[in-house]
Amino acid sequence: MRVLLLKEPKDGESGPDPYIKELESRGHKGTLLPVLSFKFVSLNTLTDKLFQPEKYGGLIFTSPRAVEAVRMCLEADERREEWHKAVKNKWNTKSIYVVGKATASLVQNLGLNPLGEDTGTAEVLSRLIIEREATNIPPLFFPCGSIKREVLPTALRENGVPLETLTVYQTAEHPNLEKNLKNYFTEQGIPASIAFFSPSGVKFCLEVVRRLSAEQLTQIKFAAIGPTTQDAIAAEGLCVSCTAEKPTAEHLAIAIAKTLQ
C-alpha cells in the first residue's frame, strides 16, 4: 500500500532513505515530501559560544538542524582544526545530551559523545538531565529552533538546572509544499497512510491534506513519529491510527505495517 511520509529525504546518505527501505521491506511503497524549510540564524554568536566550553556545563541537542548549525560554524578550516585539536575534547569532558538516534549520529560526526539517544522525547530527556545534573553547575547550552516546545526548558527551570538557549534556526513552511502535495494526490491517489514527523508538519500540511482527500479523509490511517506529534494530530480532531514506539524508521514502519494489515 502507498504511504506518504511528510518529511525531507535524508541527505548525505548513500542508498535509499531508511524510512522508504523499512516500509518496502514490509511490502509498502513510501514517498517522502519535504514539509519544512529552515533558515539558520545567529551563527556568529553560536560560534563564539561553541569555542568557550569552559563557560558551560554541557550541551543539549533536540534536533538534527541544531547540529547542522554547529557543523556550519566549523566550515572554516582554522575553526575546524581548532575544534578537532582542542575544543571538542573539552566538551567531551561534559555531558552532551541528545534526543533520538538521528541527532545522536550527527553529534558523533562532530567528534562528540552523545548521551540519551534512546530517550525519544524532550520529556524523557529532561528527566535524564535532572537525574544526572546538580543545580550548581554552569548553564547547559541549548542551541534550538524558533518554534521549540517549552517542555525541556520548563522542566529544567522547575528543577533548578541552569540553562542557556540560543535560537539558531527558524522553521517555515516548505515553499513547494502545496504544489508537491497536489502532484502526489493527482498522480498516486489517496494514500493508505500518512505519517507526520512534527507538530509543525501537522500545522503546515493538514488543511491541504483535508482539501485534497475530501470525503476520503476518514479512510487514511494517520501515523505519528512520537507522542508530541500524535497530540498535534489529535488536537486537529483526527484519529491517530498508530504512533512509533521510538522515533526510528524501523519502529514507524512496524507501527504502520501493523495498522495497514
Side-chain angles (χ1 to χ4, degrees):
M1 293 190 198
R2 287 191 298 277
V3 179
L4 177 58
L5 302 156
L6 293 169
K7 73 179 284 289
E8 68 275 10
K10 196 155 188 156
D11 41 28
E13 293 275 326
S14 54
D17 184 278
Y19 287 90
I20 301 289
K21 209 162 93 182
E22 291 290 345
L23 281 168
E24 268 178 9
S25 73
R26 290 165 177 82
H28 300 292
K29 182 187 188 302
T31 302
L32 292 155
L33 282 188
V35 171
L36 308 173
S37 67
F38 301 96
K39 182 187 171 196
F40 292 97
V41 294
S42 308
L43 293 185
N44 288 341
T45 308
L46 176 59
T47 304
D48 292 343
K49 291 178 184 301
L50 287 171
F51 282 82
Q52 298 177 67
E54 63 283 354
K55 287 191 173 179
Y56 297 101
L59 278 166
I60 301 174
F61 294 106
T62 58
S63 74
R65 297 291 153 198
V67 189
E68 171 72 4
V70 171
R71 195 189 59 71
M72 289 169 79
C73 293
L74 305 178
E75 279 178 349
D77 288 345
E78 64 276 10
R79 282 296 191 189
R80 194 162 53 243
E81 198 177 325
E82 189 186 344
W83 174 265
H84 286 295
K85 266 188 180 169
V87 179
K88 74 168 186 192
N89 296 333
K90 288 179 185 170
W91 280 114
N92 277 332
T93 65
K94 305 163 192 284
S95 299
I96 316 289
Y97 294 105
V98 299
V99 167
K101 286 189 165 29
T103 303
S105 167
L106 293 170
V107 165
Q108 284 169 328
N109 292 345
L110 295 173
L112 299 173
N113 304 322
L115 284 165
E117 65 178 75
D118 291 323
T119 53
T121 67
E123 285 91 336
V124 182
L125 181 65
S126 60
R127 289 203 290 273
L128 174 70
I129 295 171
I130 290 157
E131 275 168 25
R132 288 177 46 94
E133 301 295 343
T135 54
N136 61 349
I137 57 161
L140 297 170
F141 179 45
F142 179 27
C144 54
S146 56
I147 53 175
K148 72 172 187 312
R149 290 168 69 238
E150 290 302 320
V151 170
L152 188 138
T154 303
L156 297 193
R157 190 167 58 245
E158 286 172 355
N159 286 274
V161 178
L163 183 73
E164 185 180 315
T165 62
L166 177 69
T167 298
V168 295
Y169 66 93
Q170 292 168 344
T171 307
E173 182 179 317
H174 191 281
N176 298 326
L177 176 62
E178 188 162 351
K179 186 181 85 177
N180 291 342
L181 279 168
K182 277 181 184 164
N183 289 347
Y184 177 88
F185 276 78
T186 304
E187 289 160 21
Q188 308 216 33
I190 308 286
S193 175
I194 295 179
F196 286 99
F197 289 77
S198 68
S200 316
V202 176
K203 184 176 96 175
F204 295 140
C205 296
L206 213 44
E207 190 217 327
V208 185
V209 167
R210 281 186 205 272
R211 204 166 64 235
L212 293 169
S213 47
E215 66 277 3
Q216 289 170 282
L217 184 74
T218 52
Q219 295 171 21
I220 300 170
K221 306 281 189 192
F222 289 100
I225 191 65
T228 314
T229 305
Q230 174 190 306
D231 292 347
I233 300 169
E236 293 290 342
L238 292 177
C239 174
V240 183
S241 298
C242 64
T243 301
E245 201 180 309
K246 290 183 179 177
T248 69
E250 185 188 8
H251 286 94
L252 184 68
I254 289 167
I256 290 172
K258 204 169 171 184
T259 204
L260 291 180
Q261 272 172 356

